[in-house]
């Protein structure tokens, strides 16, 4: 099982939904970067169970992170950074009836076919619980990116087919402190009503998350197989609930003319800076390489597959069954998936930043 991400800045994670806990190791982080548990905890608090408001699960976890290595006197030492997050509120008995059944929309069947065994308690390794380690690793990546003034924000622009833009003006800078990580305030009561309706019906919702990375220097990314947009798509699509990723104008690009889609260049405001553009249909990436403009991404998040309605399925013997999924589940992966997507973007950019630094390094003995 591939549980590592990155080439130079790498994150390897471990743990299951109902095991002892979740953890990971970040390797390749440079020394001398300010980092403490509080920085990581702030990101984890946005993802932890119980933080989803009306759309959230009733499972309660503190998601308290413990740094085990790689930090001394508040700075990174350049050695592997290990961390651990204990599972505190498991109720494995909720899943005992599902040991021999394959839940629609879940990875149960795939895991059985691949490994011949699976941890059915909350989905085991395929549970969204594993994303806690991604968020912790991403927080470390953000500490590295901050040394270059690179910032990443993420917000929800659509929930259950209702677009925030139909209700108010964009204010993404405050999204992290709003319910649903909403891009605007005005849409909140509409989304609240929708979530209440869907919860009463025993169903679930999907949505769309927007990610923006600013101050990314021009030149990050490789021109062929490791294009920056390709690696970002890989990173974001590796999150279980994500079914599509758009860069810049995304699917809308197929409906535009070249004269509309091209972002015209204008002289930079300061010498040495990348040229300016008045549009950003490319989403800050051309030819797989960052342009210096804002990197704009949208992720389509599917509805939570664990629903309270009866569903047709089969068991491991291939016999027809009807099941209802018990346990404690979110109505929507939003807003808890938002910091996860932010983290995967940070991990990608941190890795690409180090790869570019290595390429730009002057070989020993050469001026």
């Amino acid at each position: 099982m591939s549980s590592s991400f990155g080439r130079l800045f790498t994150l390897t994670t471990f743990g299951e939904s109902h095991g002892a806990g979740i953890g990971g190791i970040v390797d390749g982080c440079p020394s001398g970067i300010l980092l403490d548990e509080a920085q990581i905890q702030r990101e984890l608090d946005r993802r932890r169970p119980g933080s989803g408001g009306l759309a959230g699960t009733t499972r309660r976890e503190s998601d308290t992170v413990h740094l085990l290595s790689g930090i001394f006197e508040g700075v990174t030492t350049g050695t592997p950074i290990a961390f651990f997050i204990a599972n505190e509120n498991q109720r494995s008995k909720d899943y005992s009836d599902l040991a021999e059944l394959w839940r629609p929309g879940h990875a149960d069947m795939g895991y059985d076919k691949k490994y011949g065994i699976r941890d059915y308690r909350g989905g085991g390794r395929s549970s969204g619980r594993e994303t806690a380690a991604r968020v912790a690793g991403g927080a470390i990546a953000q500490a590295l990116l901050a040394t270059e003034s690179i910032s990443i924000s993420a917000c929800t622009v659509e929930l259950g087919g209702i677009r925030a833009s139909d209700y108010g003006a964009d204010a993404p800078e405050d999204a992290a402190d709003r319910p649903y990580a909403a891009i605007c305030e005005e849409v909140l009561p509409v989304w609240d009503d929708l979530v209440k309706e869907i919860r009463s019906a025993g169903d679930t919702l999907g949505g769309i998350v927007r990610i923006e990375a600013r101050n990314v220097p021009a030149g990050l990314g490789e021109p062929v197989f490791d294009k920056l947009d390709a690696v970002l798509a890989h990173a974001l699509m590796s999150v279980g609930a994500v079914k599509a990723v758009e860069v810049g104008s995304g699917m809308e690009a197929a409906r535009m003319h070249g004269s509309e889609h091209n972002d015209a260049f204008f002289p930079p405001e300061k010498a040495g800076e990348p040229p300016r553009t008045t549009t950003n249909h490319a989403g800050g990436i051309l030819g797989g390489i960052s342009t210096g403009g804002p990197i704009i991404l949208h992720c389509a998040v599917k509805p939570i597959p664990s629903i309270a309605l009866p569903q047709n399925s089969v068991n491991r013997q291939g016999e027809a069954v009807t099941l209802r999924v018990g346990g404690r589940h979110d109505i929507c992966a939003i807003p808890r998936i938002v910091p996860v997507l932010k983290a995967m973007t940070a991990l990608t950019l941190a890795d690409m930043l180090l790869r570019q630094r290595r390429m730009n390094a002057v070989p020993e003995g050469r001026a």
Side-chain angles (χ1 to χ4, degrees):
M1 180 183 290
S2 176
S3 294
S4 297
F5 180 81
R7 295 280 189 89
L8 298 184
F9 189 102
T10 65
L11 170 67
T12 300
T13 71
F14 64 87
E16 294 84 29
S17 178
H18 285 239
I22 301 291
I25 297 175
V26 168
D27 201 6
C29 183
S31 61
I33 296 172
L34 293 173
L35 183 68
D36 59 25
E37 290 177 346
Q39 290 171 257
I40 302 173
Q41 195 63 55
R42 279 194 294 271
E43 293 297 313
L44 284 168
D45 286 347
R46 300 186 190 283
R47 194 225 68 95
R48 63 180 171 81
S51 65
L54 294 179
T57 174
T58 57
R59 179 173 177 172
R60 294 292 182 266
E61 296 278 0
S62 69
D63 275 2
T64 302
V65 66
H66 299 284
L67 287 171
L68 307 179
S69 67
I71 310 294
F72 181 66
E73 296 184 342
V75 297
T76 58
T77 63
T79 59
I81 303 170
F83 57 86
F84 183 72
I85 304 161
N87 288 335
E88 302 165 334
N89 190 218
Q90 309 99 312
R91 274 190 1 205
S92 300
K93 67 179 186 302
D94 287 346
Y95 300 92
S96 57
D97 292 342
L98 301 175
E100 297 297 318
L101 306 181
W102 290 339
R103 297 168 297 171
H106 283 271
D108 300 345
M109 187 271 289
Y111 267 63
D112 269 342
K113 294 297 184 182
K114 184 173 181 64
Y115 300 106
I117 186 173
R118 65 182 169 90
D119 184 348
Y120 59 83
R121 302 167 303 168
R125 185 70 172 152
S126 68
S127 167
R129 180 79 183 135
E130 62 87 10
T131 61
R134 298 175 187 241
V135 172
I140 298 170
Q142 288 176 69
L144 167 60
L145 296 174
T147 66
E148 299 287 342
S149 299
I150 300 171
S151 63
I152 304 171
S153 62
C155 58
T156 305
V157 297
E158 187 173 313
L159 186 71
I162 298 177
R163 298 180 301 177
S165 58
D166 292 339
Y167 291 87
D170 293 355
E173 63 277 0
D174 299 321
D177 298 319
R178 291 194 193 102
Y180 310 105
I183 194 171
C184 72
E185 187 81 26
E186 293 81 0
V187 76
L188 294 178
V190 182
W191 283 356
D192 277 345
D193 288 344
L194 175 64
V195 168
K196 291 174 185 176
E197 176 186 344
I198 295 300
R199 182 184 291 278
S200 296
D203 219 331
T204 58
L205 294 168
I208 297 176
V209 174
R210 173 188 171 98
I211 305 159
E212 183 169 343
R214 290 191 169 270
N215 299 321
V216 178
L220 299 193
E222 306 299 326
V224 185
F225 296 115
D226 279 356
K227 287 180 167 65
L228 180 57
D229 40 358
V231 180
L232 283 166
H234 169 198
L236 297 168
M237 288 289 290
S238 75
V239 179
V242 175
K243 301 304 292 182
V245 174
E246 291 188 335
V247 181
S249 57
M251 295 291 288
E252 186 60 29
R255 306 181 185 98
M256 301 171 73
H257 297 161
S259 56
E260 296 173 296
H261 189 267
N262 288 347
D263 301 310
F265 289 126
F266 298 92
E269 294 180 351
K270 297 180 182 178
E273 291 184 347
R276 294 177 296 118
T277 64
T278 56
T279 57
N280 190 17
H281 298 301
I285 302 171
L286 285 170
I289 300 171
S290 60
T291 65
I295 293 176
I296 308 296
L297 309 161
H298 287 85
C299 295
V301 180
K302 75 173 186 177
I304 295 288
S306 294
I307 62 176
L309 299 171
Q311 300 179 82
N312 294 324
S313 188
V314 297
N315 59 23
R316 296 181 71 177
Q317 292 72 45
E319 300 164 333
V321 296
T322 301
L323 61 86
R324 292 176 184 265
V325 179
R328 299 162 293 174
H329 307 288
D330 297 277
I331 296 300
C332 184
I334 290 170
R336 294 178 55 214
I337 198 172
V338 175
V340 181
L341 301 176
K342 179 182 175 183
M344 294 309 299
T345 303
L347 288 163
T348 302
L349 294 178
D351 192 43
M352 287 297 188
L353 179 67
L354 294 187
R355 291 171 71 171
Q356 187 65 20
R357 284 182 183 177
R358 182 176 69 174
M359 193 192 84
N360 292 342
V362 178
E364 186 176 352
R366 293 176 59 184

